[in-house]
Amino acid sequence: MEPVGLSSASSKDSTSLDVGSERNRYPYVTGTSVLGVKYKDGVALAADLGGSYGSTLRYKSVERIKAIGKHTLLGASGEISDFQEILRYLDELILYDNMWDDGNSLGPKEIHNYLNRVMYNRRNKFNPLWNSLVIGGVKNGQKYLGMVGMIGTHFEDNHVATGFGNHLARPIFRDEWREDMTFEEAVRLLEKCLRVLLYRDRSAINKFQIAKITDEGVTISQPYSLKTFWGFSAFKDPTKGAEGSW
Amino acid sequence: MHFTWRRGLLRLSTGAGWPSSLRFPHQSCLGFGCFCSRSPPIEVAMDPDHNAPHSMGTTIIGVTYDGGVVLGADSRTSTGMYVANRTSDKITQLTDNVYICRSGSAADSQIVSDYVRYFLHQHTIQLGQPATVKVAANLVRLLSYQNKNMLQMGVIVGGWDKYEGAQIYSVPLGGTILRQPFAIGGSGSSYLYGFFDKEWKEGMSKDEAEKLVVEAVSLAIARDGASGGVVRTVTINADGVARNFYTGDSLPLWHEELEPQDSLLDILSSSSAEPMST
């Protein structure tokens, strides 16, 4: 039983130009960067557990990486309610896939394509799902890592990042990523980027999850925190010799 | 103070220097806090372009303890700067075992609660047993999410059922749903993040939990202009529901607050030396 929505006659947007159709919205509870890298045996995703409410770090246990079916991981940044809705769409998709019971199952490429269609069609109606999605997975030995944005931009790559990660993590990936990294090396690389994001992204919190997917299956780590380093001698007295500076 | 419409923007003209970054609602609401304080005074647009969510009037809290939940709220409903109702009841019943704390627009949160109560009633009949807290919270979420462009409400759904026991679900602006061991909401909650970071413990007793909630709402009332009045609590567990009501005199005094008196005359008559100084 679908609950009845309220009529748009009482819309608080009624002063805007198009009454009746939904217009561009703005996000409320948001997640920050998601990082993804391919490594030798599969794909690894990393994200923090923060749900920001404007500038307040309001929710600190929001899991932004979820397993989809047997072969895929989905990480999201942006509006959490829209991510939760996407998870519901995917739940239905996977359910129907399982009901076929034909030995076949949806892999990361299919999920990526599906999400791309969803995002792009919503964008065309000026009612986007305010997320940047990272899709990673392994099926039949083939590794896959891709991204879909809120306007329907999509691509595949060996390493991806959303939000601030685009600016801070991708340069590090470009420099240090290798095709044949072990899981340990991939984790070190991701943690290096997570730490930088923790230093430089205001909406990052010190509570992370790293998820990995291989042909064997999905593992999402327990939440954990990283040590940070502040003990540079220059940090102790940064304005020495230049009083008034910062 | 009067409002004029100019090219689709609500312009506020006042005598005294009223910060024009304050958003004045066109309907009675559970108080309206200001925008994020970092924004400079700007013309208030009815179709705002800002990204930071604005906080909502009220202080609401939901806390789980060992065996149940305690929901708490203040009792102030404001229209702009006027307190429309100083004894409102923001903790509304959805079913026998599930209640909701409402913040944001009074109209929006009331109508959504009414719809959810209606759906839950039918659901209970069909199910043949009490609805679960999760179902109630998700119905609130559905309405909140599907009408996110029109609704302005942040709520906390709390209750007890035989499957998952005590549960608290936060449904903020936008329609996200998050289960938490405790939740705070409304404009007054800004002043409580530090308090809860310090004082929250797992596995409290019923009395400890109630004390914590009352203390917290009282602290928020002390600093948030949009919160005030009395502290209401509703405790829900396997045995049922208990409502409580704490008036100002039973609440502790905080920094720079003085013991209330009947009159100055009482102070004058009781003290001997220098009661009135120059």
Side-chain angles (χ1 to χ4, degrees):
Chain A
M1 43 163 196
E2 270 296 283
V4 169
L6 298 180
S7 79
S8 56
S10 54
S11 162
K12 69 179 194 224
D13 277 334
S14 57
T15 51
S16 67
L17 292 169
D18 22 356
V19 187
S21 66
E22 313 284 347
R23 256 250 118 194
N24 228 351
R25 293 184 268 106
Y26 28 85
Y28 292 106
V29 182
T30 55
T32 185
S33 325
V34 178
L35 312 174
V37 290
K38 281 191 197 169
Y39 67 100
K40 183 154 66 107
D41 302 322
V43 181
L45 263 61
D48 72 7
L49 274 78
S52 297
Y53 189 73
S55 60
T56 305
L57 305 174
R58 190 170 182 186
Y59 301 107
K60 295 189 176 186
S61 298
V62 183
E63 295 190 3
R64 301 192 288 114
I65 304 180
K66 294 285 181 184
I68 313 290
K70 293 192 292 260
H71 303 286
T72 322
L73 275 176
L74 176 67
S77 65
E79 169 68 44
I80 300 298
S81 65
D82 286 343
F83 176 50
Q84 291 178 340
E85 193 71 359
I86 288 171
L87 289 175
R88 277 165 203 270
Y89 290 152
L90 289 172
D91 257 348
E92 191 182 22
L93 196 71
I94 298 294
L95 181 69
Y96 279 112
D97 186 38
N98 289 341
M99 277 162 62
W100 278 106
D101 199 21
D102 58 359
N104 215 345
S105 49
L106 291 173
K109 286 195 206 220
E110 290 82 49
I111 304 289
H112 185 139
N113 180 249
Y114 172 79
L115 288 173
N116 177 218
R117 288 291 103 211
V118 168
M119 301 299 269
Y120 184 61
N121 278 119
R122 288 288 296 256
R123 165 263 192 199
N124 284 340
K125 294 189 273 199
F126 285 95
N127 183 211
L129 289 161
W130 209 285
N131 295 110
S132 292
L133 305 169
V134 171
I135 299 105
V138 184
K139 192 171 169 203
N140 299 331
Q142 253 208 329
K143 301 181 290 230
Y144 186 92
L145 180 62
M147 231 185 82
V148 185
M150 66 185 255
I151 54 174
T153 322
H154 63 285
F155 57 89
E156 279 175 62
D157 208 341
N158 290 322
H159 39 77
V160 297
T162 70
F164 254 75
N166 271 307
H167 302 106
L168 298 174
R170 287 178 82 191
I172 302 178
F173 288 154
R174 279 187 212 118
D175 228 15
E176 300 187 15
W177 179 85
R178 299 276 171 276
E179 176 92 50
D180 53 356
M181 283 195 300
T182 62
F183 178 61
E184 285 69 37
E185 289 171 326
V187 169
R188 292 249 179 272
L189 179 58
L190 287 170
E191 285 182 341
K192 186 171 185 175
C193 297
L194 287 175
R195 199 176 274 109
V196 172
L197 288 167
L198 188 58
Y199 288 138
R200 297 294 182 172
D201 180 1
R202 262 174 50 166
S203 43
I205 62 165
N206 195 355
K207 202 169 167 196
F208 306 103
Q209 274 183 316
I210 298 197
K212 83 175 212 272
I213 181 161
T214 59
D215 247 332
E216 270 123 44
V218 172
T219 318
I220 305 184
S221 75
Q222 286 282 70
Y224 74 102
S225 292
L226 285 172
K227 286 198 188 155
T228 53
F229 189 61
W230 301 87
F232 294 104
S233 57
F235 280 14
K236 279 219 188 94
D237 200 357
T239 61
K240 189 156 89 167
E243 297 304 323
S245 72
W246 52 281
Chain B
M1 162 182 76
H2 58 278
F3 304 97
T4 54
W5 283 96
R6 276 214 206 124
R7 285 189 278 117
L9 293 174
L10 179 66
R11 288 230 55 206
L12 174 67
S13 42
T14 62
W18 214 306
S20 53
S21 58
L22 264 176
R23 183 150 184 217
F24 285 90
H26 52 277
Q27 55 182 357
S28 180
C29 76
L30 291 168
F32 244 126
C34 302
F35 287 133
C36 218
S37 56
R38 58 188 161 89
S39 59
I42 44 162
E43 272 180 41
V44 176
M46 281 310 277
D47 189 13
D49 221 346
H50 62 97
N51 282 321
H54 44 275
S55 52
M56 296 168 290
T58 292
T59 308
I60 50 172
I61 302 181
V63 143
T64 58
Y65 68 89
D66 186 19
V69 300
V70 180
L71 302 176
D74 72 310
S75 71
R76 179 171 286 185
T77 306
S78 29
T79 317
M81 283 282 142
Y82 176 65
V83 178
N85 186 355
R86 65 181 171 103
T87 53
S88 26
D89 181 11
K90 303 177 189 181
I91 310 178
T92 303
Q93 188 185 28
L94 295 180
T95 68
D96 288 338
N97 54 322
V98 183
Y99 278 65
I100 184 173
C101 294
R102 303 178 289 109
S103 80
S105 157
D108 286 350
S109 59
Q110 278 169 11
I111 199 72
V112 167
S113 303
D114 287 347
Y115 268 114
V116 172
R117 192 180 311 115
Y118 166 69
F119 293 132
L120 281 174
H121 186 209
Q122 297 187 319
H123 173 63
T124 305
I125 292 169
Q126 289 178 329
L127 201 62
Q129 56 183 38
T132 58
V133 188
K134 189 183 240 186
V135 166
N138 271 292
L139 282 170
V140 176
R141 178 201 79 92
L142 266 171
L143 285 171
S144 251
Y145 181 75
Q146 286 172 355
N147 298 288
K148 61 160 80 189
N149 291 341
M150 291 177 279
L151 293 175
Q152 217 156 57
M153 43 174 265
V155 300
I156 298 174
V157 180
W160 185 96
D161 62 50
K162 67 183 188 195
Y163 297 106
E164 297 266 325
Q167 295 147 77
I168 291 282
Y169 292 90
S170 216
V171 184
L173 239 49
T176 314
I177 184 168
L178 287 166
R179 183 173 174 188
Q180 299 176 286
F182 73 90
I184 56 178
S187 58
S189 68
S190 308
Y191 308 98
L192 297 177
Y193 284 98
F195 176 73
F196 273 92
D197 277 345
K198 181 148 194 259
E199 300 289 344
W200 162 259
K201 297 187 291 291
E202 281 282 350
M204 287 186 287
S205 73
K206 176 159 81 92
D207 290 331
E208 285 177 323
E210 179 129 6
K211 269 196 73 193
L212 187 70
V213 167
V214 172
E215 200 181 358
V217 179
S218 163
L219 279 167
I221 288 174
R223 291 295 183 175
D224 179 30
S227 301
V230 302
V231 180
R232 293 194 191 280
T233 63
V234 170
T235 309
I236 312 170
N237 50 36
D239 306 321
V241 176
R243 240 186 204 286
N244 257 320
F245 170 80
Y246 298 85
T247 55
D249 36 304
S250 67
L251 300 174
L253 290 167
W254 305 118
H255 183 52
E256 291 189 308
E257 289 184 342
L258 300 170
E259 190 72 53
Q261 310 281 348
D262 279 326
S263 163
L264 173 67
L265 305 174
D266 295 336
I267 308 174
L268 290 176
S269 58
S270 63
S271 72
S272 42
E274 299 301 322
M276 312 258 275
S277 54
T278 48

